[in-house]
Amino acid sequence: MFDIFIESQSKIEALTEFYQGKLILHQETEYLACYAKYWKSIEYKRQWSRAAKHILHRSNKTAGFVTAANIKRNPKNISWWIAFKNGNQITFREQLLSYNSRKRWLKCPNAEHAHKSVPKRLFLTTNYVSEWKVSVGAMRKFLSRRNFA
């Protein structure tokens, strides 16, 4: 199972407005707080659809699913789930991008440029990195349910 969606349109907490959402990776559920200051909810949804299409149909087999674009306030950063396709499996890792690590993309973050900032996948011999796996079929089902592009 793969799904990513916004449950409520906006909420204000500690002077920050955000959209509440969920990311489901196989049997795990992550709760999201998607910043509403820079992107509208439809922009998150469109980016997720484009990222899913990108990982399924492009040759470089990577994508990034942006879950929080915090561009206007310091510290400037983007929270996202990077994905790597290998055969019939897609592996996800959560990552926080600081402004300095990807300045060019953060100046104009959009779905067309997100895949360029996905780092190469490191294969570690220890379990320092948490990874979640979903099937390619689960990603296809996501697109059939929630194609926002």
Side-chain angles (χ1 to χ4, degrees):
M1 170 75 174
F2 174 82
D3 204 357
I4 187 167
F5 56 93
I6 290 176
E7 290 184 305
S8 65
Q9 285 304 308
S10 68
K11 182 176 182 175
I12 298 175
E13 189 172 294
L15 300 177
T16 302
E17 189 173 356
F18 60 91
Y19 308 109
Q20 293 177 303
K22 285 184 184 176
L23 170 66
I24 301 170
L25 298 166
H26 192 54
Q27 296 177 339
E28 301 294 324
T29 300
E30 292 288 323
Y31 295 90
L32 308 175
C34 306
Y35 291 109
K37 293 280 184 187
Y38 191 74
W39 283 5
K40 296 176 182 168
S41 64
I42 191 64
E43 291 172 290
Y44 283 105
K45 293 172 184 178
R46 285 180 181 148
Q47 196 279 325
W48 299 335
S49 291
R50 289 179 182 144
K53 288 176 186 174
H54 189 88
I55 199 161
L56 289 174
H57 305 296
R58 299 287 173 109
S59 60
N60 69 352
K61 301 178 183 177
T62 62
F65 293 77
V66 176
T67 56
N70 184 23
I71 305 302
K72 302 231 176 188
R73 301 175 53 175
N74 285 325
K76 295 176 183 177
N77 58 52
I78 284 182
S79 178
W80 68 348
W81 288 78
I82 54 176
F84 307 93
K85 183 175 153 190
N86 185 11
N88 288 326
Q89 293 264 305
I90 300 172
T91 303
F92 284 83
R93 290 183 185 165
E94 186 177 21
Q95 184 182 47
L96 180 66
L97 277 182
S98 70
Y99 180 73
N100 292 331
S101 67
R102 299 282 186 236
K103 274 187 183 179
R104 205 164 92 189
W105 184 63
L106 287 173
K107 285 183 182 176
C108 182
N110 60 46
E112 288 75 28
H113 295 104
H115 66 279
K116 294 178 183 177
S117 293
V118 176
K120 290 187 178 183
R121 184 175 180 206
L122 299 176
F123 292 93
L124 305 174
T125 56
T126 57
N127 292 329
Y128 291 114
V129 177
S130 296
E131 294 185 334
W132 293 262
K133 295 183 187 311
V134 299
S135 70
V136 168
M139 185 65 66
R140 285 192 181 107
K141 287 179 184 176
F142 163 76
L143 273 178
S144 69
R145 281 191 322 271
R146 300 188 189 272
N147 189 351
F148 301 107

